[in-house]
């Protein structure tokens, strides 16, 4: 890497939640409970896990490892199973169309780095539980880019360095680590990041918009996050080293890696559309190629 040039060390989906719906033969979602045989098996596994007071292995294998049945469910889901690659929550009720939800781990996503392969593997696995007539709907999706050599401006120059506007969250930062930029408009929007996260005088995060909003973003120090908050994600270092090697330089752990992240929630994915301009008989018109991402397999 020459001088202060910016180099991309990685770019991919880092968070992926998929809603699982059972469908009819035309793959249209229907209200339908899971089979009685599967209900019985899952409940027996959960009862045993609770009796032993530990998570236990199931016969369900994904990405080469069995899923473990958790001792407890969660709100809306009776059974939770997981391994290092996915987290699967299953609902027993037939009153809801949603029968399950899958979260793919960031480690699995970065290991595959091919959405086509990921969708196929997840779909094939889920059909072994719920049958072939299912639909996978993206619920949460985070797109990320990891860069080295990007220099953030000084705190007092942050506002002038961004032309986008973000809606201020109702949760005003109260700690020394976060500072609300000046210039909040009457409409509740601010120029630039919503706040400035700092540690020991160093900028560690610039969030844009509410974390729970339909669309939000953040720029943050990924090396800092791994070192102080998520040491289990140190496997990212190997990816960065390999990427740097292919670009002709050596990445070391003292080099700051900034992550640029866009977070899409279900409401934003539902509103997405692609429009192209077409010419019909000399008249230019707009044609909508798709409106809403409802099917992860055919998006």
């Amino acid at each position: 890497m020459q001088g202060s040039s910016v180099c991309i060390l990685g770019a991919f989906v880092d968070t992926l939640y998929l809603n699982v719906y059972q469908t009819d033969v035309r793959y249209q979602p229907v209200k339908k409970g899971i089979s009685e045989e599967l209900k019985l098996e899952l409940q027996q596994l959960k009862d045993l896990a609770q009796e032993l007071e530990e998570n236990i292995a199931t016969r369900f294998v994904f990405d080469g490892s069995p899923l473990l049945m958790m001792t407890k469910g969660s709100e809306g889901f009776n059974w939770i199973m997981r391994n290092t690659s996915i987290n699967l929550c299953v609902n027993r009720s037939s009153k809801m169309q949603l029968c399950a939800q899958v979260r793919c781990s960031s480690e699995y996503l970065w290991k595959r780095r091919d959405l086509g392969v990921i969708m196929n593997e997840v779909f094939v696995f889920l059909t072994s539980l719920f049958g072939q007539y299912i639909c996978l709907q993206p619920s949460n999706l985070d797109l990320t880019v990891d860069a080295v050599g990007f220099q953030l401006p000084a705190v007092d120059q942050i506002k002038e360095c961004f032309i986008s506007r973000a809606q201020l969250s109702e949760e005003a930062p109260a700690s020394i680590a976060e500072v609300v930029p000046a210039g909040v408009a009457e409409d509740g929007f601010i120029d630039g990041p919503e706040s400035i996260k700092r540690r020991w005088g160093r900028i560690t995060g610039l969030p844009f918009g509410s974390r729970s909003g339909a669309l939000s973003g953040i720029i943050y120090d990924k090396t800092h996050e791994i070192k102080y908050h998520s040491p289990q994600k140190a496997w990212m270092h190997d990816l960065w080293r390999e990427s740097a090697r292919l670009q002709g330089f050596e990445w070391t752990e003292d080099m700051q890696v900034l992550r640029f992240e866009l977070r899409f929630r279900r409401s934003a994915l539902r509103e997405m559309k692609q429009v192209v301009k077409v010419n019909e008989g000399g008249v230019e018109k707009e044609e909508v190629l798709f409106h809403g991402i409802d099917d992860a397999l055919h998006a």
Side-chain angles (χ1 to χ4, degrees), residues 19-36 38-39 90-100 123 126-127 129-137:
N19 294 331
V20 184
Y21 294 95
Q22 297 195 79
T23 72
D24 57 23
V25 294
R26 295 172 299 172
Y27 291 97
Q28 297 302 307
V30 295
K31 290 184 179 180
K32 179 182 177 183
I34 63 175
S35 70
E36 292 301 321
L38 181 58
K39 284 183 186 178
V90 183
N91 171 35
R92 68 180 299 161
S93 175
S94 60
K95 296 180 180 180
M96 297 173 55
Q97 287 186 331
L98 180 68
C99 72
F123 179 77
L126 292 175
T127 57
L129 279 79
F130 306 118
Q132 71 178 94
Y133 294 112
I134 59 172
C135 172
L136 305 184
Q137 179 192 76

Side-chain angles (χ1 to χ4, degrees), residues 240-287:
W240 295 338
R241 288 192 188 95
E242 178 61 16
S243 178
R245 185 188 66 79
L246 293 174
Q247 297 181 69
F249 70 96
E250 180 183 0
W251 180 83
T252 56
E253 293 184 23
D254 61 332
M255 292 183 180
Q256 182 188 52
V257 176
L258 290 180
R259 171 159 288 185
F260 299 78
E261 185 168 292
L262 279 177
R263 299 160 171 169
F264 300 86
R265 297 299 169 258
R266 180 66 212 137
S267 54
L269 295 169
R270 184 172 54 245
E271 294 178 10
M272 278 189 173
K273 65 179 178 180
Q274 182 179 2
V275 179
V276 296
K277 292 184 178 181
V278 296
N279 191 297
E280 295 183 2
V283 179
E284 191 174 78
K285 298 181 177 180
E286 289 188 346
E287 179 179 331

Side-chain angles (χ1 to χ4, degrees), residues 41-42 45 56-61 66-70 81:
E41 180 177 5
L42 294 179
L45 287 166
I56 61 172
T58 70
R59 65 178 176 87
F60 308 112
V61 176
L67 270 65
L68 302 181
M69 173 63 75
M70 304 292 103
M81 297 179 285

Side-chain angles (χ1 to χ4, degrees), residues 22-298:
Q22 297 195 79
T23 72
D24 57 23
V25 294
R26 295 172 299 172
Y27 291 97
Q28 297 302 307
V30 295
K31 290 184 179 180
K32 179 182 177 183
I34 63 175
S35 70
E36 292 301 321
E37 293 80 8
L38 181 58
K39 284 183 186 178
L40 179 60
E41 180 177 5
L42 294 179
Q43 190 57 48
Q44 288 176 339
L45 287 166
K46 183 178 177 181
D47 290 343
L48 180 57
Q50 292 177 336
E51 181 182 339
L52 298 175
E53 297 184 342
E54 63 179 19
N55 304 327
I56 61 172
T58 70
R59 65 178 176 87
F60 308 112
V61 176
F62 181 80
D63 194 29
S65 299
L67 270 65
L68 302 181
M69 173 63 75
M70 304 292 103
T71 58
K72 296 181 179 180
S74 66
E75 184 177 356
F77 296 102
N78 303 85
W79 306 286
I80 298 177
M81 297 179 285
R82 66 174 61 139
N83 63 11
T84 57
S85 297
I86 63 169
N87 188 91
L88 175 61
C89 303
V90 183
N91 171 35
R92 68 180 299 161
S93 175
S94 60
K95 296 180 180 180
M96 297 173 55
Q97 287 186 331
L98 180 68
C99 72
Q101 186 178 75
V102 173
R103 178 182 63 82
C104 297
S105 73
S106 60
E107 185 171 4
Y108 167 68
L109 293 169
W110 283 94
K111 180 174 64 175
R112 288 291 185 268
R113 276 185 282 185
D114 186 320
L115 277 178
V117 171
I118 291 167
M119 289 298 99
N120 183 67
E121 290 183 349
V122 173
F123 179 77
V124 170
F125 169 71
L126 292 175
T127 57
S128 69
L129 279 79
F130 306 118
Q132 71 178 94
Y133 294 112
I134 59 172
C135 172
L136 305 184
Q137 179 192 76
S139 175
N140 290 1
L141 176 71
D142 294 354
L143 299 178
T144 63
V145 174
D146 294 337
V148 65
F150 190 97
Q151 299 298 316
L152 288 174
V155 173
D156 58 358
Q157 298 175 327
I158 288 291
K159 179 181 175 182
E160 288 74 22
C161 291
F162 294 93
I163 61 174
S164 60
R165 305 187 77 199
Q167 189 169 16
L168 186 64
S169 169
E170 294 181 358
E171 298 179 2
S175 67
I176 299 176
E178 298 186 18
V179 178
V180 177
V184 179
E186 293 182 359
D187 60 5
F189 284 79
I190 60 173
D191 295 318
E194 178 180 318
S195 62
I196 301 172
K197 299 178 183 292
R198 295 189 292 178
R199 185 185 178 96
W200 302 321
R202 179 183 182 182
I203 297 176
T204 58
L206 300 173
F208 296 81
S210 171
R211 182 70 174 87
S212 60
L215 178 63
S216 62
I218 187 171
I219 301 172
Y220 66 100
D221 186 339
K222 189 63 179 179
T223 42
H224 179 277
E225 190 254 353
I226 290 175
K227 183 176 182 179
Y228 293 102
H229 301 289
S230 305
Q232 73 277 11
K233 293 185 178 181
W235 50 265
M236 288 292 306
H237 294 171
D238 293 333
L239 296 179
W240 295 338
R241 288 192 188 95
E242 178 61 16
S243 178
R245 185 188 66 79
L246 293 174
Q247 297 181 69
F249 70 96
E250 180 183 0
W251 180 83
T252 56
E253 293 184 23
D254 61 332
M255 292 183 180
Q256 182 188 52
V257 176
L258 290 180
R259 171 159 288 185
F260 299 78
E261 185 168 292
L262 279 177
R263 299 160 171 169
F264 300 86
R265 297 299 169 258
R266 180 66 212 137
S267 54
L269 295 169
R270 184 172 54 245
E271 294 178 10
M272 278 189 173
K273 65 179 178 180
Q274 182 179 2
V275 179
V276 296
K277 292 184 178 181
V278 296
N279 191 297
E280 295 183 2
V283 179
E284 191 174 78
K285 298 181 177 180
E286 289 188 346
E287 179 179 331
V288 179
L289 297 184
F290 74 87
H291 191 172
I293 302 178
D294 294 314
D295 188 342
L297 291 171
H298 303 98

